[in-house]
Amino acid sequence: MNTLTQVLVDRQDVLSSSFSASYAGVVAFITVAREGSFARAADRLGVGRSAVSRSVQRLEDHLGTRLLSRTTRSTSLTSEGELFLENCQPGVESIMQALEEIRDLRDGPPRGQLRIGATHAFGRRVLAPILNDFRLKHPAIGIELVLDERAADLAVDRIDVLFRDGRLDDSQVIARQLIPMQRLVCASSGYAERHGLPLSMEQLGEHACINRRLPNGRIRNWEFRIEGQTRSVVPQAEIVFNDDDLILESVLEGQGLAQLPAFQACEFLRSGRLVASLGHQAPDSGGHYACYLSRRQLPKRIRVFIDFVTAQVRALNLDCGAGLNTSLAMVAPDSPN
């Protein structure tokens, strides 16, 4: 072997060793940054805490800068660490996704961790009850359900599947409709007997209405479909909540009217505890969607989860339909019980 060849071989060995050490350090660093501690990062990676610490230390030595501030009680990113995380995370995640997709193609039953996002009402009332059945069918898949009213960023918040009313305005997101999104003007049967129900959108002003404040601070519009056109109104209300379940409880207690999502109202409409008004003007332009980032090869765990939830949610028959339990809509306020 001549001198030039030996130099090239030695350089390749150095590069290979440097890349191997750096990559291990980057993976360890990103995991510590995500988990907030070396101990949780070690559990996540399935290695010892000391191994994670050594990998991060070698990376910091290689870069010549400190990426993490460590104390006995906490671990946090330095400003250099924040910049490094922002720059290297997309590349590492692409490599991890590629590896995961190959394993999915090669291996057997789906496994891994799923991070699911949903609003509080939809998560509690629709998703949570069916997650146990999914886990029984796919015990190797772990579930983390994150309930939040804000529109999550699937990449930044590391959400695998996000359930939302209406599509997300993002070309990188795939939105699969589960069921149509109906919003029905509902009241308790007792309220309807005492006060009657509105026969038109204009009559909402004659009733006690309960409004929903959105995370952005605005009051949610009440929407209707009239003569083929969508019309919106924000009725005057003495009661405002920022939680759908609290609105439902208030309506059930007879405190007023609210425009409720059908998945919340159907059970109570069928039992007679609630009655619906203006069902023939219920909007029909939206839907409840399962949203996920566009990928050339969707991991098995995400694919089987979306298929399972879609089938289960549709089987719940949450499409209440216009006219369900609207028989009291014509009851006048002074009519006897």
Side-chain angles (χ1 to χ4, degrees):
M1 183 182 296
N2 60 39
T3 303
L4 178 59
T5 301
Q6 184 63 52
V7 169
L8 291 175
V9 170
D10 291 343
R11 180 173 296 174
Q12 288 174 347
D13 290 341
V14 170
L15 289 173
S16 176
S17 175
S18 174
F19 176 79
S20 177
S22 297
Y23 182 74
V26 169
V27 171
F29 163 71
I30 289 177
T31 308
V32 172
R34 284 180 169 179
E35 298 297 327
S37 79
F38 282 83
R40 288 195 294 272
D43 290 340
R44 182 77 171 181
L45 294 172
V47 298
R49 185 185 184 283
S50 59
V52 175
S53 182
R54 286 195 301 271
S55 294
V56 173
Q57 182 64 59
R58 283 196 293 267
L59 176 64
E60 290 178 325
D61 292 343
H62 180 70
L63 296 175
T65 188
R66 183 170 290 278
L67 302 175
L68 294 164
S69 295
R70 309 162 178 84
T71 68
T72 56
R73 293 186 175 182
S74 66
T75 301
S76 60
L77 290 169
T78 64
S79 57
E80 292 83 2
E82 290 177 353
L83 178 63
F84 187 71
L85 178 65
E86 180 181 350
N87 288 333
C88 71
Q89 184 168 276
V92 172
E93 289 185 344
S94 294
I95 293 172
M96 296 303 292
Q97 180 182 324
L99 294 172
E100 185 175 55
E101 289 172 355
I102 293 300
R103 284 196 296 268
D104 266 350
L105 292 173
R106 182 195 64 196
D107 298 340
R111 63 177 183 270
Q113 191 73 16
L114 278 176
R115 186 172 165 88
I116 310 303
T119 60
H120 288 82
F122 193 81
R124 291 191 187 111
R125 191 165 295 276
V126 179
L127 287 180
I130 64 178
L131 289 183
N132 187 54
D133 289 338
F134 177 78
R135 289 275 296 126
L136 290 173
K137 188 173 183 179
H138 300 285
I141 299 179
I143 297 288
E144 179 181 357
L145 178 59
V146 180
L147 303 183
D148 199 330
E149 297 303 315
R150 66 188 179 90
D153 184 309
L154 277 79
V156 173
D157 297 320
R158 297 184 292 117
I159 299 294
D160 294 302
V161 184
L162 179 67
F163 294 91
R164 272 292 179 264
D165 298 342
R167 299 171 183 267
L168 296 182
D169 187 17
D170 188 337
S171 61
Q172 299 301 312
V173 172
I174 304 298
R176 177 173 177 178
Q177 189 182 74
L178 302 177
I179 51 175
M181 182 178 67
Q182 292 181 309
R183 291 195 178 276
L184 304 171
V185 176
C186 297
S188 70
S189 56
Y191 178 95
E193 291 169 353
R194 293 191 304 272
H195 305 288
L197 292 173
L199 302 180
S200 68
M201 187 177 77
E202 289 72 23
Q203 290 185 6
L204 289 173
E206 302 171 12
H207 290 268
C209 293
I210 303 168
N211 278 338
R212 170 73 154 85
R213 189 172 297 280
L214 300 171
N216 61 12
R218 296 174 52 200
I219 298 296
R220 183 169 62 197
N221 291 338
W222 294 32
E223 294 188 349
F224 300 91
R225 190 77 172 171
I226 301 174
E227 296 180 353
Q229 300 295 319
T230 299
R231 292 181 59 186
S232 300
V233 64
V234 179
Q236 290 295 318
E238 295 183 0
I239 302 176
V240 179
F241 293 109
N242 68 344
D243 181 89
D244 284 325
D245 285 336
L246 291 177
I247 293 176
L248 174 62
E249 290 177 16
S250 186
V251 173
L252 288 169
E253 290 170 359
Q255 297 185 38
L257 308 175
Q259 192 174 47
L260 300 174
F263 70 80
Q264 270 194 308
C266 275
E267 171 190 349
F268 303 101
L269 288 167
R270 293 186 178 113
S271 70
R273 292 188 64 189
L274 292 182
V275 292
S277 171
L278 306 178
H280 62 291
Q281 294 180 347
D284 58 2
S285 57
H288 297 287
Y289 290 86
C291 305
Y292 51 94
L293 289 176
S294 175
R295 295 183 179 182
R296 184 177 58 183
Q297 178 65 38
L298 201 63
K300 278 184 182 178
R301 67 180 187 279
I302 296 179
R303 187 169 64 251
V304 298
F305 177 75
I306 292 173
D307 289 344
F308 181 87
V309 170
T310 299
Q312 292 292 310
V313 171
R314 289 176 179 173
L316 293 175
N317 190 23
L318 298 176
D319 183 0
C320 291
L324 178 62
N325 268 356
T326 57
S327 58
L328 292 182
M330 300 299 291
V331 174
D334 296 329
S335 295
N337 293 336

